[in-house]
Amino acid sequence: MDDRPDWARSTSLQMDSNEIPRPLRRLGVYFMSPLFDAPGPGQIVLAGEGWGNSGEIDRLNSWVLEVLDREADVPAKLRAFPRGHGDAFIWATVASDLDVTGLLTDPDVAVVQRTLPARAPELPEGVDRVWVASTLVGCRAIVSEAGRWRWVDWVTDVEFEADEGV
């Protein structure tokens, strides 16, 4: 008798989002499916965050709010300090939404024109500014100030990637 769960025995079941077993979701898996052309049984495809996009207009704003919501300790810690600026720093990585990492591509060399959203999102209490940069080579950093996004004169290069072990 095969006592494996249904998802492990399936030869045709595709799963995404909440259908995926919780331990795999905690690892960042958002899609899984049997590998139909695999040379042997029991091989599956797992897809993690990133390498996809939402197609949402101005995805940057909703992505920043999602990150700050997921990492709720950041605004809480910033609120705990009564003085100074509440600056939050977010790194976009290869696992981040492609709409975000694509937007950060250095506009001086981008094949497709890159324009920042007209307005920055309303930030959680305690967060005055958000800085977003990418660990991917050839990306610029941006900052939200006074309700607007602006480019920062900094570009990720190969030296950064090598120095940081990214």
Side-chain angles (χ1 to χ4, degrees):
M1 178 170 160
D2 191 347
D3 60 350
R4 294 177 299 163
D6 289 345
W7 63 267
R9 289 193 316 264
S10 174
T11 58
S12 63
L13 182 64
Q14 288 187 184
M15 289 185 277
D16 48 40
S17 195
N18 292 329
E19 300 168 320
I20 293 175
R22 187 186 206 61
L24 293 174
R25 281 198 323 256
R26 281 197 307 264
L27 292 173
V29 174
Y30 78 92
F31 173 84
M32 63 187 273
S33 172
L35 188 56
F36 299 111
D37 296 329
Q43 295 184 21
I44 61 173
V45 173
L46 299 176
E49 293 181 66
W51 299 103
N53 63 2
S54 66
E56 178 184 333
I57 296 173
D58 291 346
R59 174 69 176 134
L60 173 66
N61 288 331
S62 60
W63 180 79
V64 163
L65 293 176
E66 288 168 17
V67 171
L68 291 173
D69 185 53
R70 183 184 68 224
E71 308 299 334
D73 65 317
V74 172
K77 288 174 184 174
L78 292 172
R79 280 192 302 272
F81 290 96
R83 291 189 229 182
H85 291 287
D87 288 78
F89 296 85
I90 302 174
W91 284 104
T93 70
V94 71
S96 298
D97 190 300
L98 282 178
D99 287 330
V100 174
T101 54
L103 176 65
L104 296 174
T105 301
D106 184 357
D108 294 338
V109 297
V111 175
V112 177
Q113 182 61 40
R114 305 296 182 197
T115 52
L116 297 173
R119 303 280 306 152
E122 188 171 321
L123 300 170
E125 184 182 347
V127 181
D128 299 315
R129 290 188 295 202
V130 173
W131 302 76
V132 179
S134 178
T135 59
L136 302 174
V137 172
C139 288
R140 294 274 293 270
I142 57 177
V143 61
S144 70
E145 291 181 305
R148 298 213 173 274
W149 289 106
R150 72 171 175 82
W151 294 103
V152 175
D153 188 22
W154 179 81
V155 179
T156 313
D157 61 17
V158 176
E159 286 182 25
F160 171 81
E161 193 171 83
D163 290 345
E164 298 301 317
V166 177

